[in-house]
Amino acid sequence: MITENCIDPFLAVIEDIFKKEIYLPLEIKDPLLKRNKRTTHEVSNIIGLSGDITGCISISMTENLAIKIASAIAGYNFLNFNGDCVNGIKDFVKIIIEDAESLFVRKNISISYKKLIIGDLKIDYPADLSMIVMIPCTVMEDLFSIDFGVKET
């Protein structure tokens, strides 16, 4: 099942990073079916999956939250969303990838960082994908979501 094999490890890693490295309260809401293949918030990082599970994951957040996360990762208080802030967000996602890979010990899964998308754009989920699961989250007043467009092969 996709939930066991993919969603749960990423949620566990993200919760752990927010608790131990970001120091911001992450509230995970109930999963929803996403109706489109577009980014959810202003700043989205795309993670690719291949092997026993294929597709991609979008880790999406408001620009305001991106600044807070990048500041926590870099240990420097960014005042606006600039190039250094972008690097901090990419580092955040790379930490997620490294930690999540260790949880896929029984599966042949390759996880890779694909790209950062700023704005409302289409994501290249697999064409034959039957559904995308969105897990909405809040971090204080800011929005964060994890969108899973994946399938077992």
Side-chain angles (χ1 to χ4, degrees), residues 23-80:
Y23 303 109
L24 292 173
L26 175 71
E27 181 184 350
I28 297 174
K29 311 268 181 165
D30 291 333
L32 306 168
L33 287 182
K34 188 170 177 167
R35 303 278 181 219
N36 62 52
K37 293 185 176 186
R38 300 192 74 77
T39 56
T40 304
H41 303 295
E42 301 95 71
V43 179
S44 299
N45 288 272
I46 309 303
I47 298 170
L49 296 167
S50 59
D52 292 344
I53 296 175
T54 62
C56 64
I57 298 167
S58 170
I59 297 177
S60 189
M61 64 200 76
T62 61
E63 187 175 296
N64 188 53
L65 181 57
I67 293 169
K68 291 176 184 176
I69 290 171
S71 295
I73 293 293
Y76 175 82
N77 191 26
F78 295 108
L79 300 177
N80 55 43

Side-chain angles (χ1 to χ4, degrees), residues 46 80 92 97 121 139:
I46 309 303
N80 55 43
F92 166 67
I97 291 169
L121 299 170
V139 180

Side-chain angles (χ1 to χ4, degrees), residues 83-94:
D84 291 333
C85 189
V86 165
N87 290 336
I89 289 300
K90 288 179 179 179
D91 289 344
F92 166 67
V93 175
K94 288 175 184 175

Side-chain angles (χ1 to χ4, degrees), residues 52 103-108:
D52 292 344
L103 299 178
F104 287 102
V105 293
R106 291 179 289 165
K107 290 281 186 177
N108 173 30

